[in-house]
Amino acid sequence: MPKLNKLTQFPWITKQVFGNQGFAIFYKIENGNSIHIKRLDEGIAGLFSESDAKIIAAAPDLLLAALKVDALSIQTSAHKELRNAIHKALG
């Protein structure tokens, strides 16, 4: 099972920005004694809807849960869909 922190910085959080205009996604980077908050959505400047921002922020947690379920080696059509989604996420 890959270490997700090697794939992406997480956890991701959402926060409403610019009044009611949109939501942004943030993550924390700890470097020694300093902590930096970075925006995941820099290129689009917080123009996510709240529901889109929440599902994107949940992606790392969902992927970790999917990897744990996949490790059970159960063979159903739902698990095949899960493996396809994992492959889509990890390449």
Side-chain angles (χ1 to χ4, degrees):
M1 183 180 323
K3 297 277 187 194
L4 192 56
N5 60 353
K6 292 184 185 275
L7 301 174
T8 185
Q9 297 287 331
F10 77 100
W12 297 343
I13 59 167
T14 62
K15 183 175 179 180
Q16 192 168 19
V17 293
F18 308 120
N20 292 330
Q21 294 179 7
F23 285 75
I25 302 167
F26 298 89
Y27 61 94
K28 178 173 58 172
I29 296 175
E30 296 184 38
N31 188 5
N33 292 334
S34 62
I35 297 174
H36 302 280
I37 304 297
K38 302 284 267 182
R39 284 185 68 159
L40 181 69
D41 63 325
E42 269 184 65
I44 62 168
L47 297 179
F48 289 114
S49 68
E50 182 177 11
S51 58
D52 287 346
K54 285 181 176 180
I55 194 72
I56 293 167
D61 299 308
L62 292 168
L63 180 57
L64 280 176
L67 288 166
K68 289 176 183 176
V69 171
D70 185 45
L72 299 174
S73 298
I74 299 170
Q75 301 298 323
T76 67
S77 61
H79 284 84
K80 183 176 180 180
E81 290 177 36
L82 178 72
R83 288 184 189 97
N84 289 338
I86 291 169
H87 180 72
K88 184 176 182 180
L90 298 178

